[in-house]
């Protein structure tokens, strides 16, 4: 009979085996020398630092300062290196050590970011714990090659009638939103994000140098409407270092590109690139780069063009994903010919101009149809819209011209009165409150009723109620007709008549007495 092994002997054997393994690992270990390039700070200013002793540092390489502060090498001069700081410069002092990292600035990407609010360094701002990610991408990436791009062929429905009908946006397009302060630019972008609910679209909202209260309101609205589940918010506030403000849109674009490369459709909003341009001007002047027009550096066009060129629609062989960009820009005194607005108008595929005059008149959204254009989206627009869009734009333009003369009390002939009456109904139908996106079926119902003149006899003061009734009646349109709204074929005369019959019955209570 074998003697029983005591607990002490078992423990002794375990220790022997462990120490033997440690000894084998120690004998096999060969220490290696790794060179480290360490320099020192020669001067520090608001948002930048000058560093010496890093002869091998590369352009846009990430460098590390004490206190976990990072910076990006921006000016590579003979004597020193100009570094853009991505943290508080008050923590740094002349003589502090600076170390190369050997890599460029990158950001965590992936599904773990959905529903999160982060800063450009990937740090969470929403108290929901750390961001979980298994992949990182550089923030500066080459735009997709021309041969890897596909034509813009699918519409991006914003849920805003005036845009979907008259200034359509396609998936993969870059559409500029511009206007003076407080004209509703952000509201259009947020409404577009809200309308993507259930559309399998990922949305990225990039707040660049905004007030904390403004960003908090946007996040609260997105959360209240259930849009945060498919949205990522990248935030820099007005008191953040200019370096963080500068990298914010590039960070947001890399996050969006990850989803695009997976074959998904992505919408990105840059709110707004005016602050981005100003932060870059501040950094450039501090780094002694020569100023040009309006004190902006000569490469201000390049920083926005290389950003917006990354928005595209990929070929089917590459997954067929798309990245649609809605950059926002602020004008001063309606001057769309200023330096930054003209730069962005020439980079993008169209613009939505918001007029402060229309805003003051209560025409919301305050889209100036005459100054707005989409140079691509018309090709992607649903065929049902194309049947009415051209006529609608012409009728509205005629109305605006005639309305000016009618204000002088001139005697008007019957035809002119009809044009003005019809135009007033078009304007009333294009009005839309915030956070109230309209479905495709409801939009086409209203637009066809306008086209047929069914609303011309409805009193102006009852137009909102009549439109609501029309939208509710859209549910009565036969299913096969509604399916054809989303097809590439034009509506037949029979389809139109079916829609108009439903609209006519719905509007009977609103017809004015003869």
């Amino acid at each position: 009979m074998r003697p029983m092994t005591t607990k002490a002997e078992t423990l002794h054997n375990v220790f022997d085996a462990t120490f033997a393994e440690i000894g084998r690992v120690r004998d096999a270990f060969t220490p290696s020398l790794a060179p480290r390039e360490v320099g020192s700070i020669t001067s520090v200013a608001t948002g930048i630092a000058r560093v010496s002793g890093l002869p091998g540092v590369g352009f846009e390489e990430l460098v590390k300062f004490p206190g976990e502060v990072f910076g990006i090498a921006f000016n590579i001069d003979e004597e020193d290196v100009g570094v853009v700081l991505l943290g508080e410069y008050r923590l740094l002092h002349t003589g502090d050590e600076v170390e190369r990292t050997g890599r460029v600035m990158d950001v965590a990407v992936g599904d773990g970011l959905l529903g999160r609010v982060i800063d450009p360094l990937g740090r969470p701002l929403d108290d929901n714990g750390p961001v979980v990610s298994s992949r990182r991408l550089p923030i500066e990436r080459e735009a997709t090659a021309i041969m890897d791009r596909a034509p813009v062929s699918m519409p991006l429905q914003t849920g805003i009638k005036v845009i979907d009908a008259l200034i359509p946006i396609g998936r993969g397009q870059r559409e500029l939103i511009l206007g003076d302060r407080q004209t509703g630019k952000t509201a259009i972008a947020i409404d577009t994000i809200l309308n993507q609910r259930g559309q399998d679209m990922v949305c990225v909202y990039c707040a660049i140098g905004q007030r904390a209260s403004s960003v908090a309101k946007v996040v609260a609205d997105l959360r209240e409407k259930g849009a945060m589940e498919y949205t990522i918010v990248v935030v820099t506030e007005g008191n953040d270092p200019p370096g963080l403000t500068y990298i914010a849109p590039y960070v947001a674009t890399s996050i969006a590109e990850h989803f695009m490369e997976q074959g998904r459709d992505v919408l990105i909003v840059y709110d707004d690139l005016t602050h981005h341009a100003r932060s870059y001007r501040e950094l450039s002047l501090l780094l002694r780069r020569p100023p040009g027009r309006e004190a902006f550096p000569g490469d201000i066009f390049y920083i926005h063009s290389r950003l917006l060129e990354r928005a595209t629609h990929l070929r089917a062989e590459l997954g067929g994903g798309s990245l649609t960009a809605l950059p926002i820009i602020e004008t001063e005194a309606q001057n769309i010919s200023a330096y930054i607005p003209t730069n962005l108008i020439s980079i993008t595929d169209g613009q939505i101009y918001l007029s402060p005059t229309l805003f003051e008149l209560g025409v919301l959204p305050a889209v100036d149809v005459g100054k707005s254009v989409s140079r691509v989206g018309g090709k992607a627009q649903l065929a049902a819209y194309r049947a009415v869009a051209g006529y609608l734009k012409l009728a509205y333009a005629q109305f605006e011209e005639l309305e000016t003369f009618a204000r002088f009390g001139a005697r008007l002939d019957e035809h002119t009165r009809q044009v003005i009456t019809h135009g007033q109904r078009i304007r009333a139908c294009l009005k839309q409150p915030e956070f109230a996106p309209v479905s495709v079926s409801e939009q086409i119902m209203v637009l066809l009723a306008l086209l047929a003149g069914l609303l011309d006899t409805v009193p102006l003061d009852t137009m909102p109620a009549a439109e609501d009734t029309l939208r509710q009646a859209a549910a009565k349109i036969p299913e096969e007709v509604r399916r054809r709204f989303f097809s590439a074929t034009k509506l037949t005369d029979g389809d139109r008549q079916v829609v108009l019959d439903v609209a006519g019955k719905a509007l009977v209570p609103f017809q004015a007495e003869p």
Side-chain angles (χ1 to χ4, degrees):
M1 187 174 177
R2 294 176 58 192
M4 293 182 63
T5 305
T6 64
K7 288 184 179 180
E9 290 174 341
T10 304
L11 197 59
H12 186 70
N13 293 338
V14 170
F15 277 123
D16 283 347
T18 303
F19 286 127
E21 183 63 28
I22 291 173
R24 281 196 296 273
V25 172
R26 186 189 60 193
D27 293 340
F29 173 72
T30 305
S32 59
L33 297 175
R36 285 175 63 232
E37 204 168 302
V38 178
S40 60
I41 299 175
T42 56
S43 67
V44 182
T46 307
I48 66 155
R50 292 201 169 270
V51 175
S52 64
L54 298 177
V57 73
F59 179 61
E60 291 194 344
E61 182 179 337
L62 204 62
V63 293
K64 186 177 179 181
F65 294 88
E68 292 298 312
V69 175
F70 288 91
I72 298 175
F74 233 55
N75 276 17
I76 311 296
D77 299 324
E78 274 190 59
E79 301 298 326
D80 58 11
V81 177
V83 177
V84 170
L85 298 174
L86 305 178
E88 285 297 336
Y89 72 95
R90 297 179 186 85
L91 305 174
L92 306 178
H93 306 91
T94 302
D96 284 350
E97 279 194 354
V98 186
E99 184 181 346
R100 285 183 61 191
T101 63
R103 61 186 179 91
V104 294
M105 177 66 193
D106 55 18
V107 63
V109 298
D111 290 349
L113 290 172
L114 289 171
R116 301 303 303 269
V117 182
I118 61 170
D119 72 359
L121 298 178
R123 298 176 298 203
L125 301 175
D126 53 6
D127 299 326
N128 286 341
V131 174
V132 179
S133 172
S134 59
R135 189 182 178 207
R136 300 185 72 86
L137 286 179
I139 65 167
E140 294 271 13
R141 306 178 72 206
E142 283 191 11
T144 307
I146 295 295
M147 298 306 291
D148 291 337
R149 301 182 183 220
V152 174
S153 56
M154 285 280 292
L156 175 80
Q157 295 297 137
T158 65
I160 301 170
K161 290 169 290 186
V162 65
I163 295 177
D164 289 341
L166 304 181
I167 318 149
I169 302 171
R171 297 190 180 190
Q173 185 176 343
R174 301 154 299 179
E175 185 80 5
L176 179 65
I177 301 172
L178 75 164
D180 284 11
R181 288 184 69 251
Q182 301 298 316
T183 50
K185 301 184 294 296
T186 301
I188 283 183
I190 298 305
D191 278 352
T192 304
I193 291 175
L194 295 180
N195 197 53
Q196 305 316 308
R197 186 176 176 82
Q199 307 291 324
D200 193 28
M201 173 86 74
V202 175
C203 300
V204 181
Y205 177 76
C206 180
I208 307 169
Q210 299 290 326
R211 292 194 307 271
S213 58
S214 302
V215 178
K217 181 181 182 302
V218 168
V219 173
D221 290 336
L222 292 174
R223 193 162 278 136
E224 181 188 343
K225 305 293 181 182
M228 278 304 288
E229 61 192 44
Y230 55 86
T231 303
I232 301 163
V233 181
V234 181
V235 178
T236 58
E237 297 172 7
N239 58 348
D240 282 339
L244 278 183
T245 304
Y246 167 67
I247 68 168
Y250 301 103
V251 168
T253 307
S254 286
I255 291 171
E257 279 180 329
H258 166 75
F259 294 101
M260 178 183 73
E261 290 166 0
Q262 290 182 332
R264 302 182 68 177
D265 292 312
V266 190
L267 168 68
I268 186 166
V269 175
Y270 304 107
D271 188 11
D272 64 34
L273 291 184
T274 309
H275 289 110
H276 184 241
R278 288 171 183 162
S279 69
Y280 185 68
R281 173 172 63 183
E282 179 182 350
L283 293 171
S284 296
L285 293 175
L286 287 167
L287 290 168
R288 305 288 183 181
R289 294 188 177 184
R293 179 179 164 187
E294 296 179 24
F296 285 105
D299 60 343
I300 192 71
F301 181 92
Y302 176 57
I303 74 165
H304 288 152
S305 63
R306 75 173 188 257
L307 173 71
L308 293 169
E309 278 298 316
R310 292 162 71 177
T312 186
H313 179 207
L314 295 177
R315 288 190 304 147
E317 295 88 334
L318 296 173
S322 69
L323 176 53
T324 309
L326 292 182
I328 296 173
I329 204 80
E330 183 184 294
T331 56
E332 295 178 350
Q334 307 177 53
N335 181 18
I336 63 174
S337 60
Y339 191 28
I340 302 302
T342 48
N343 277 356
L344 281 155
I345 286 171
S346 62
I347 294 167
T348 50
D349 307 312
Q351 70 271 353
I352 297 168
Y353 177 69
L354 300 178
S355 164
T357 307
L358 290 175
F359 189 89
E360 289 159 8
L361 291 172
V363 181
L364 301 176
V367 175
D368 188 326
V369 176
K371 292 181 181 177
S372 302
V373 65
S374 177
R375 291 187 276 271
V376 175
K379 296 290 183 182
Q381 193 177 27
L382 295 172
Y385 281 101
R386 283 202 291 271
V388 297
Y391 157 79
L392 207 62
K393 206 161 190 176
L394 179 62
Y396 194 56
Q398 286 177 333
F399 157 68
E400 286 186 319
E401 287 291 326
L402 289 173
E403 187 185 35
T404 307
F405 291 105
R407 285 182 186 142
F408 297 113
R411 295 181 63 184
L412 305 174
D413 60 78
E414 184 60 28
H415 173 70
T416 305
R417 272 200 298 273
Q418 287 176 358
V419 171
I420 290 176
T421 300
H422 187 56
Q424 287 171 335
R425 271 65 184 177
I426 294 175
R427 174 181 284 170
C429 279
L430 293 181
K431 289 182 182 179
Q432 190 171 333
E434 197 175 356
F435 307 143
V438 183
S439 70
V440 171
S441 302
E442 293 172 356
Q443 287 192 39
I444 291 173
M445 178 83 155
V446 173
L447 294 174
L448 283 177
L450 264 178
L451 179 64
L454 297 181
L455 292 164
D456 289 359
T457 54
V458 175
L460 269 178
D461 57 345
T462 61
M463 275 295 295
E467 188 192 339
D468 283 343
T469 304
L470 269 181
R471 288 174 54 184
Q472 292 169 16
K476 299 177 183 176
I477 300 173
E479 184 62 31
E480 62 271 15
V481 176
R482 273 189 285 171
R483 276 201 300 269
R484 282 197 282 277
F485 289 167
F486 297 90
S487 69
T489 56
K490 292 183 179 179
L491 293 179
T492 64
D493 291 338
D495 292 338
R496 287 190 183 206
Q497 195 56 50
V498 168
V499 175
L500 291 176
D501 288 345
V502 175
K505 291 175 184 175
L507 289 173
V508 168
F510 297 95
Q511 301 298 332
E513 293 292 330

